[in-house]
Amino acid sequence: MALIVQKFGGSSVADAQSIKRVAKRIVETRRAGNDVVVVVSAMGDTTDELLDLAAGVTPIPAPRELDMLLTAGERISMALLAMAIKGMGMDALSFTGSQAGMITTAEHGSAKIVDVTPRRVREALDQGSVAIVAGFQGFNRGTGDITTLGRGGSDTTAVALAAALDADVCEIYTDVDGVYTTDPRVVSCARKIHSITSEEMLELAASGAKVLHLRAVEYARRHGVALHVRSSFSNEEGTIVYDPKKGHPKGEKVEEPIITGIAFEKSEAKVTVGGVPDVPGKAAQIFEIVAKTNANIDMIVQNVSADHRTDISFTVPSGDGRKVVEALESAREDIGYDRLQYDDQIAKVAVVGAGMRDASGVSAQLFRALFDAGINIEMISTSEIRISVVTRADVMEDAVRVLHTAFGLDTDDEAVVYAGTGR
Ligand code: ADP
Ligand code: ASP
Ligand code: MG
């Protein structure tokens, strides 16, 4: 008998019909003799709709209340799913994040899981029930308040439960057949990846591939949880995310391609501090000011200086843009710069592959492909297994398609996107 954690994303439980379809799948897994713990997201675009509602009453909603509001989404789907399973003659019990023992830090909207005490989930399993847990939410012991883990956080709930319960596998059910070489909504000839290392998946998730929540991949890697990303709309085998140090879960030998996948995101902005005096300490001063805003900086570029002045550019999530600009504006005299520019019409495209370590000429090939397509590169950053570039936002999708072809990732089959609005 195996213990299986199954996570169903919003598009898999978008309406009553879908909930019944998912319930049937869960019942079949249970009847096959497995213990089943289910993590569920809010129905369809509920979380976005709740955010819109909040924005309708105030421009900057109180973070504590926003978490109270958003966690209602998962509460609806968990109860409906438990009802549907019970309606099929099988016992099921639903639990909120706090009932399931998801203990987190206190930051509303981006809490981190610090402990998992799933006593009630275990008891439910011991009684022969299917346990249904609301994804994306937790509880902070210090404040006594409900928290959320950040958008897409139900994946992380599932992985944390799988680790705490020592599950045999954590299945992430979504609206595509697995992890593809890039988002199949943008490139329909994207190829399904049968297995991917957690290291590459980390880079893809960190670069915007929302098919898995970044922290879920990190958590799975740290706790040795095997992930299987697959569709709730088909019976196809999906993608196995594994740690090569521990070996492939099915013992397969996997050759490392030079390029495994391409990720992209539009939610970043570029800040340029122009005409900064080119003397030691200025970069420290600028980035200390930015650090105090808690914004997450990604790429940084400093230009060659002319007349003892230089330009420093960096990217931040556009949601943090305003506070970063305000902080820098108020320190203008202290820093002694000439200009401040803010540009949110940029996008980031990242090419990822573990085989890049031993290959030469990958950057040249990337730059050539973009040049041939007339796409200008504004910033570049690299890691051992990733090259990222910043382009104009309106050419991002073209850049992804061109690179997908240039690196030989196109296939003849059309990828299926079963549901969801991609919102
Ligand atoms: P869920 O609601 O199931 O959590 P998400 O919308 O969060 O689903 O994630 C699934 C979506 O991720 C897909 O529909 C697809 O558009 C997008 N996606 C982005 N990059 C990739 C990729 N490399 N492979 C597969 N899907 C991707
Ligand atoms: N419902 C939350 C969201 O839309 C969490 C999740 O789906 O993983 O972000
Ligand atoms: Mg998701």
Side-chain angles (χ1 to χ4, degrees):
M1 192 190 217
L3 170 55
I4 301 179
V5 173
Q6 297 188 325
K7 179 256 166 177
F8 294 91
S11 49
S12 298
V13 291
D15 51 28
Q17 213 48 43
S18 314
I19 291 179
K20 285 201 272 185
R21 186 175 48 80
V22 162
K24 193 159 160 274
R25 187 162 202 139
I26 296 166
V27 167
E28 278 165 11
T29 313
R30 177 76 189 95
R31 294 225 162 104
N34 303 293
D35 274 338
V36 188
V37 175
V38 175
V39 172
V40 70
S41 294
M43 295 167 71
D45 289 332
T46 300
T47 308
D48 289 298
E49 287 156 13
L50 292 173
L51 281 167
D52 291 347
L53 265 179
V57 295
T58 175
I60 305 176
R64 176 186 184 276
E65 304 311 326
L66 194 58
D67 276 357
M68 285 301 233
L69 179 69
L70 296 187
T71 49
E74 271 70 13
R75 204 166 167 140
I76 294 172
S77 50
M78 76 179 198
L80 289 173
L81 187 55
M83 286 174 202
I85 295 173
K86 282 175 92 74
M88 292 173 184
M90 177 158 288
D91 275 338
L93 279 172
S94 67
F95 300 103
T96 62
S98 48
Q99 286 178 316
M102 305 302 302
I103 310 300
T104 71
T105 56
E107 305 108 288
H108 288 292
S110 58
K112 294 187 187 65
I113 295 170
V114 289
D115 195 10
V116 184
T117 52
R119 184 180 53 84
R120 298 202 58 189
V121 173
R122 271 217 180 86
E123 282 170 7
L125 294 179
D126 291 345
Q127 291 161 13
S129 288
V130 171
I132 317 270
V133 177
F136 170 63
Q137 52 181 263
F139 174 77
N140 178 260
R141 285 188 177 127
T143 59
D145 278 330
I146 301 296
T147 55
T148 61
L149 309 178
R151 297 306 306 271
S154 297
D155 296 340
T156 306
T157 305
V159 173
L161 268 174
L165 296 166
D166 199 18
D168 295 279
V169 64
C170 180
E171 296 180 331
I172 307 284
Y173 285 92
T174 184
D175 53 13
V176 286
D177 277 319
V179 178
Y180 281 74
T181 46
T182 193
D183 188 342
R185 283 180 209 271
V186 169
V187 178
S188 59
C189 60
R191 185 188 298 264
K192 186 168 90 188
I193 303 170
H194 291 284
S195 15
I196 184 168
T197 63
S198 47
E199 182 190 34
E200 289 168 308
M201 196 60 234
L202 268 180
E203 292 274 12
L204 285 173
S207 306
K210 69 164 182 170
V211 63
L212 279 176
H213 193 226
L214 173 60
R215 289 229 295 280
V217 188
E218 286 169 348
Y219 206 104
R221 188 172 158 93
R222 213 169 333 117
H223 293 85
V225 176
L227 291 179
H228 184 180
V229 182
R230 58 193 307 192
S231 167
S232 70
F233 298 82
S234 79
N235 284 317
E236 296 254 330
E237 279 283 301
T239 303
I240 304 287
V241 184
Y242 71 103
D243 183 348
K245 282 193 224 96
K246 300 206 172 71
H248 191 282
K250 292 186 179 159
E252 284 171 28
K253 266 200 112 46
V254 183
E255 205 183 313
E256 282 184 346
I258 295 179
I259 303 302
T260 301
I262 302 176
F264 52 84
E265 66 185 321
K266 270 190 182 156
S267 58
E268 297 260 316
K270 181 167 80 171
V271 179
T272 303
V273 193
V276 180
D278 195 7
V279 294
K282 285 295 160 190
Q285 201 180 353
I286 291 172
F287 289 107
E288 276 160 14
I289 289 164
V290 177
K292 284 204 188 105
T293 68
N294 278 328
N296 233 334
I297 297 174
D298 186 23
M299 296 188 190
I300 302 178
V301 173
Q302 175 169 344
N303 278 355
V304 213
S305 65
D307 298 329
H308 308 290
R309 290 204 168 245
T310 184
D311 293 350
I312 296 179
S313 297
F314 55 89
T315 59
V316 286
S318 32
D320 292 335
R322 202 171 71 181
K323 59 184 183 185
V324 170
V325 167
E326 280 169 6
L328 287 169
E329 260 165 5
S330 60
R332 186 180 193 131
E333 276 179 19
D334 261 4
I335 304 171
Y337 64 83
D338 297 333
R339 308 175 311 283
L340 192 61
Q341 279 169 305
Y342 180 73
D343 179 357
D344 60 5
Q345 294 306 303
I346 62 155
K348 222 167 47 181
V349 177
V351 166
V352 172
M356 223 185 264
R357 276 200 192 92
D358 315 310
S360 60
V362 181
S363 344
Q365 201 181 342
L366 186 155
F367 301 151
R368 163 61 63 183
L370 292 180
F371 169 68
D372 286 346
I375 294 170
N376 190 41
I377 301 170
E378 302 186 16
M379 292 169 102
I380 303 166
S381 89
T382 61
S383 83
E384 243 191 322
I385 65 163
R386 172 186 51 79
I387 306 171
S388 306
V389 296
V390 165
T391 66
R392 287 289 94 204
D394 58 359
V395 296
M396 179 191 79
E397 294 195 359
D398 289 337
V400 172
R401 283 189 206 101
V402 159
L403 294 174
H404 199 266
T405 307
F407 287 109
L409 300 175
D410 294 356
T411 128
D412 295 335
D413 308 327
E414 191 155 322
V416 189
V417 177
Y418 295 93
T421 55
R423 189 171 168 181

